[in-house]
Amino acid sequence: MSFLQYAQRLYSLDTLDTRFITSSTPPQRASSNTQLDPAQLSTKEAEITARQQSAGRSTALQDAAPPALWRTSEFYLYYMVFLVCVPLMFKAVYDVSKSTHPNYQNYAGLLSPGWIPGRMVDNSDSQYSTFRDNVPYMFILVVVHPLLRKLSEAIFPSKKISQKLSTAQEQKRNSTFPHEVAEARMKRRVTFDFYFALIFLCVLHGFSAFKVFFFLYTNFLIAKRVPRQYVIAATWVFNVSILFANELGKGYPYSTIAASVLPWPNSSNAGLDGKPETNWGSTLDSYGGLVPRWEILFNITVLRLISFNMDYTWSQDRGRSSPVEKKQLDLANLSERERVDTPAHHQDYSFRNYLAYVLYSPLYLAGPIITFNDYISQARYTPKSVKTERTILYGIRFLICLLTMEVMLHFIYAVAISKAQPAWEIYSPFQLSMLGYFNLHLIWLKLLLPWRFFRFWALLDGVDPPENMVRCMSDNYSTLAFWRGWHRSLNRWIVRYLYIPLGGSGGSQTRGPWGKARAGLNFLTVFMFVALWHDIQLRLLMWGWLISLFVLPEVLASFLFPKKKWQNHRTAYRWICGIGAVGNVLMMMAANLVGFAVGLDGLQGLTHGIVGSYSGLVFLATACTALFVGVQVMFETRAQELRQGIVMKC
């Protein structure tokens, strides 16, 4: 394999996430007599069926795709723009990061010694610095965890699995395991996940682990004890209340609890450090584990709590009829959609399985998010997408992203500059725009790296969660599509557990003016929840409102310029869409700078510095022209995907 072929394989969608290249419809069985025996459909037969279905779908997409434009004179002009603009963009932000720049001394204190000779590193982002400083230890954990699982399987082998495997070998079947083997595999995996998670949680949070267990148990009681018709409402009220309570209570220090409930009788006694003890709670607080602020990580746990309760409630609503029996599904070859939608067995919704899912170690800290149904399904049957070669390539991609981030932090100090709140007038409009642009890129990378690391850990463990970041931040022109690809597992969770239950954007409940208004309200509700879920701060609420507002122009434009009416004028339609997409890009940048980077005041300073002069307006017009060129390349990239039979919807 040549270097170019290897690079193409490394950066293929197949390596990133097979969900984009496989059919969403799983193969079905040919006979109703074998509904619960996955061995009746061989792996080879299932793959042939899936390929046939995917081939028919790909042919239809290829027929609908427009002709390629890569070698037209229009795109050769675009290539020249890229060759000029991209180096200038990097140079602009590198120049303002030099030690000779007048503003350097204002943020030099935020920089740290770097490992690249002669360069400091911008490790001023507290969220990413926590991840960066602990990468070596987490790599050790990634190696130890799968080894411990294999060791436990060797020490405590399952007799059912051994017997069934020998039978399968005798029959020379390269097929999926029978139902009994899948059950045994699920129980063994979940048991390991359960006990490892208990130890992992105690190491992470120390005595605060008991607070986590309290909330988990309370949520489980809501699912099991509250009348069915009230479970979903009670689940949402309880978990949203936790978000507010955790913020207000600051993690509920034991010292505060002790002072109000059971004061220490000898409060004047000296503690271990020679200082007087306040109460017995202070002693417990001193053993807070590796991550004492457990409440920060609990936001991601809330999503799993809601997932379990709603999956369990919906499984009861389906009654005794099973979609597996109705659709003749092969349980070992389910697509992700079927794994999510197919309820687990009634006995699977146990407290042990619940804790194993909620506290599943590879995904506990940051996700990606999988549903309870999906977790149980993958515990029974390893997804066909989990292959050693693909996992190794995915790990290499993670290392390349990590190295890219390190180089950027050593040469581009955009985060430290924005944190120092400089006098923006000392920068040119071009420099100001690049500071904002690269700030967003660093935010994208700082989120991508933990998500890919923990997904890599899960893949090594035989679990395939969805990829959270499926496109580069700069490869987005649609506000709606952007949020399908940014934190994708959260987007899918939102759609399943909030947006659709509220009524979504279609159907009989959203017809007419009032229906459209309700659909808009649903959209606003979703982004307000997402903002509060991230952090209860005014700037994030403003971010949610801005996102909801900035979606309206795109929705309105889709009504005014329907694609079907422009079939005979594709070039004109593409250019009109390009103009609108430039506005979308500017609005998305503004909203995300407010929510996650410089805040509203910082955005006002940046905006005034860019458009507050005649030269700034000239630059803005030039920048919009460059964005238009970039958008046209984005359009053609998606058209190329269509020609390959791929629809990513983002």
Side-chain angles (χ1 to χ4, degrees):
M1 181 183 293
S2 67
F3 176 77
L4 290 178
Q5 289 175 325
Y6 183 80
Q8 186 177 15
R9 179 82 173 91
L10 181 65
Y11 283 93
S12 67
L13 277 176
D14 178 71
T15 298
L16 185 64
D17 197 332
T18 60
R19 290 165 176 83
F20 299 112
I21 60 172
T22 57
S23 173
S24 61
T25 304
Q28 298 181 357
R29 299 172 188 266
S31 171
S32 60
N33 296 330
T34 58
Q35 292 167 359
L36 295 179
D37 185 4
Q40 295 299 318
L41 184 64
S42 70
T43 303
K44 184 176 180 180
E45 291 170 343
E47 289 178 351
I48 291 174
T49 303
R51 283 199 299 268
Q52 290 173 344
Q53 294 171 345
S54 181
R57 176 172 172 267
S58 298
T59 301
L61 292 173
Q62 291 167 4
D63 293 340
L69 300 174
W70 296 117
R71 297 185 179 182
T72 62
S73 57
E74 176 188 353
F75 270 70
Y76 283 126
L77 175 62
Y78 295 162
Y79 302 151
M80 295 301 297
V81 174
F82 268 80
L83 288 174
V84 173
C85 289
V86 173
L88 289 177
M89 292 166 66
F90 278 93
K91 182 179 183 301
V93 73
Y94 172 71
D95 287 343
V96 300
S97 301
K98 290 180 177 179
S99 58
T100 55
H101 192 273
N103 190 49
Y104 180 80
Q105 295 303 322
N106 294 333
Y107 64 84
L110 298 174
L111 305 179
S112 308
W115 56 267
I116 296 179
R119 298 298 304 180
M120 303 291 283
V121 62
D122 183 358
N123 200 29
S124 59
D125 186 289
S126 58
Q127 185 180 25
Y128 181 72
S129 66
T130 301
F131 172 79
R132 182 178 183 270
D133 296 342
N134 289 284
V135 163
Y137 308 107
M138 289 190 292
F139 265 113
I140 295 174
L141 188 60
V142 165
V143 174
V144 170
H145 177 261
L147 291 178
L148 286 177
R149 186 186 292 279
K150 290 186 179 297
L151 180 63
S152 69
E153 292 174 354
I155 297 175
F156 306 105
S158 173
K159 294 182 179 180
K160 288 186 177 181
I161 291 180
S162 301
Q163 292 171 358
K164 292 294 181 179
L165 278 176
S166 61
T167 302
Q169 290 169 354
E170 290 173 4
Q171 297 176 352
K172 296 181 179 180
R173 282 187 178 181
N174 294 321
S175 60
T176 51
F177 298 156
H179 175 68
E180 295 82 1
V181 177
E183 289 298 312
R185 181 182 187 275
M186 186 271 290
K187 291 179 181 177
R188 187 170 67 178
R189 283 189 62 89
V190 169
T191 299
F192 177 84
D193 290 341
F194 173 76
Y195 287 110
F196 189 90
L198 295 182
I199 299 172
F200 187 62
L201 191 71
C202 291
V203 172
L204 279 179
H205 303 316
F207 281 109
S208 291
F210 292 107
K211 305 171 190 175
V212 177
F213 287 131
F214 171 76
F215 287 123
L216 300 191
Y217 184 65
T218 304
N219 184 77
F220 184 78
L221 290 180
I222 291 174
K224 295 290 186 175
R225 302 289 178 83
V226 173
R228 186 189 308 176
Q229 63 270 29
Y230 303 121
V231 169
I232 292 179
T235 296
W236 275 99
V237 170
F238 172 70
N239 283 280
V240 172
S241 299
I242 289 177
L243 296 178
F244 283 94
N246 286 352
E247 180 70 19
L248 296 174
K250 304 298 182 184
Y252 323 105
Y254 282 113
S255 57
T256 303
I257 298 174
S260 58
V261 177
L262 187 62
W264 189 293
N266 299 316
S267 59
S268 61
N269 293 342
L272 296 176
D273 57 357
K275 297 180 181 180
E277 291 280 5
T278 304
N279 52 42
W280 58 268
S282 301
T283 303
L284 298 182
D285 288 333
S286 65
Y287 297 95
L290 298 177
V291 186
R293 296 195 63 189
W294 63 272
E295 70 275 10
I296 296 177
L297 300 176
F298 199 76
N299 285 16
I300 196 81
T301 306
V302 162
L303 303 181
R304 291 188 281 266
L305 301 186
I306 295 173
S307 172
F308 174 85
N309 284 19
M310 295 186 73
D311 281 358
Y312 173 65
T313 304
W314 288 338
S315 72
Q316 292 179 304
D317 292 339
R318 298 208 178 185
R320 296 182 179 274
S321 62
S322 170
V324 174
E325 298 176 2
K326 286 183 178 180
K327 300 180 181 180
Q328 302 291 291
L329 299 178
D330 178 3
L331 290 174
N333 290 287
L334 296 180
S335 68
E336 184 195 31
R337 181 183 300 175
E338 293 295 341
R339 292 200 307 263
V340 170
D341 292 341
T342 302
H345 302 156
H346 180 73
Q347 63 270 20
D348 291 337
Y349 296 94
S350 64
F351 187 64
R352 186 197 64 167
N353 292 1
Y354 164 72
L355 285 183
Y357 159 68
V358 171
L359 302 176
Y360 178 57
S361 302
L363 306 181
Y364 172 73
L365 292 171
I369 306 156
I370 60 174
T371 68
F372 178 79
N373 289 343
D374 194 5
Y375 169 78
I376 291 296
S377 177
Q378 295 197 49
R380 283 195 172 92
Y381 304 97
T382 302
K384 296 294 184 289
S385 57
V386 178
K387 295 182 179 179
T388 302
E389 180 188 5
R390 184 181 290 122
T391 302
I392 291 174
L393 290 173
Y394 188 84
I396 293 173
R397 284 188 67 162
F398 165 77
L399 291 175
I400 292 173
C401 290
L402 182 63
L403 180 61
T404 301
M405 182 65 156
E406 284 296 301
V407 172
M408 288 186 67
L409 291 179
H410 279 78
F411 288 91
I412 296 174
Y413 303 146
V415 177
I417 291 173
S418 64
K419 283 183 174 293
Q421 298 180 342
W424 298 111
E425 58 269 14
I426 67 175
Y427 299 104
S428 69
F430 184 38
Q431 291 173 337
L432 284 173
S433 63
M434 290 303 99
L435 281 172
Y437 175 77
F438 278 93
N439 222 318
L440 291 176
H441 259 288
L442 290 168
I443 291 172
W444 175 71
L445 275 171
K446 83 168 185 179
L447 295 175
L448 176 141
L449 286 169
W451 285 335
R452 285 200 176 170
F453 176 84
F454 292 119
R455 183 169 184 255
F456 175 63
W457 181 3
L459 289 170
L460 288 174
D461 193 42
V463 174
D464 186 7
E467 172 66 27
N468 264 345
M469 296 288 203
V470 296
R471 289 198 190 274
C472 175
M473 187 210 77
S474 293
D475 188 15
N476 288 278
Y477 60 85
S478 165
T479 307
L480 291 170
F482 175 76
W483 293 113
R484 296 191 195 108
W486 177 286
H487 204 166
R488 182 166 165 267
S489 66
L490 175 62
N491 176 270
R492 294 158 72 89
W493 186 96
I494 288 288
V495 170
R496 174 173 171 81
Y497 297 112
L498 182 58
Y499 191 56
I500 291 178
L502 286 174
S505 60
S508 58
Q509 295 180 333
T510 55
R511 292 176 182 170
W514 291 109
K516 296 299 180 184
R518 178 179 174 181
L521 181 61
N522 292 344
F523 197 85
L524 178 62
T525 302
V526 163
F527 273 98
M528 286 187 64
F529 170 76
V530 172
L532 293 174
W533 175 80
H534 277 92
D535 201 356
I536 301 175
Q537 294 184 14
L538 179 60
R539 64 183 178 88
L540 284 172
L541 273 176
M542 294 173 62
W543 166 82
W545 296 332
L546 286 173
I547 291 297
S548 301
L549 177 64
F550 292 164
V551 165
L552 294 179
E554 183 175 343
V555 174
L556 181 61
S558 66
F559 282 108
L560 295 177
F561 301 95
K563 185 176 182 179
K564 61 183 179 181
K565 293 185 178 181
W566 292 79
Q567 292 298 322
N568 297 326
H569 306 280
R570 288 190 173 185
T571 301
Y573 182 73
R574 177 165 54 84
W575 289 350
I576 291 173
C577 290
I579 295 171
V582 169
N584 264 354
V585 171
L586 294 175
M587 289 187 292
M588 285 191 291
M589 290 180 64
N592 287 308
L593 283 171
V594 169
F596 300 102
V598 298
L600 184 60
D601 292 338
L603 178 65
Q604 289 175 342
L606 281 171
T607 304
H608 183 266
I610 294 173
V611 301
S613 63
Y614 176 77
S615 61
L617 292 175
V618 172
F619 161 75
L620 181 61
T622 306
C624 288
T625 303
L627 284 175
F628 178 85
V629 170
V631 165
Q632 294 303 317
V633 175
M634 296 180 208
F635 289 164
E636 185 60 17
T637 300
R638 285 151 181 79
Q640 181 65 32
E641 291 170 356
L642 278 180
R643 289 189 282 272
Q644 297 172 352
I646 298 171
V647 179
M648 295 180 63
K649 298 182 180 180
C650 62

